Amino acid sequence: MSNTVIILIAVIVAAAVIAIVAYIIYRAVNPRLKDDKPTEEEVAEEELNRMLSPVEDEKAIEEMREYDRKLQEEENGESESKKE
């Protein structure tokens, strides 16, 4: 065999050894914990908490209350007209 083929094989083997060692170190540092999977309820709750943030602006709170009052009045008006 020629020297270039031997050098090529040595480089490929060295790269493979480095890759295997890096993978083993990665797995030792970051083990997969299959027992730590959250339940669907926990995932849903985390997603809701992420999406829904509490309203802290007093003006916005008052506007939401006013909107709720209008909806209640409209619903009460519609339900009374259906009774008649």
Side-chain angles (χ1 to χ4, degrees), residues 51-69:
M51 297 292 260
L52 302 174
S53 60
V55 178
E56 296 176 359
D57 184 17
E58 292 297 324
K59 183 177 178 183
I61 292 172
E62 187 56 39
E63 288 177 1
M64 289 189 301
R65 287 182 184 149
E66 184 63 32
Y67 181 76
D68 285 339
R69 282 188 217 119

Side-chain angles (χ1 to χ4, degrees), residues 19-34:
I20 291 170
V21 170
Y23 180 76
I24 292 171
I25 291 172
Y26 174 76
R27 281 290 155 222
V29 173
N30 298 321
R32 283 189 218 159
L33 300 176
K34 294 186 179 188

Side-chain angles (χ1 to χ4, degrees), residues 36-48:
D36 289 347
K37 287 186 178 179
T39 63
E40 287 185 27
E41 292 174 357
E42 292 172 342
V43 171
E45 185 176 339
E46 288 177 12
E47 188 67 17
L48 281 174

Side-chain angles (χ1 to χ4, degrees), residues 79-84:
S79 62
E80 287 178 8
S81 64
K82 287 182 182 178
K83 290 180 182 178
E84 296 176 0

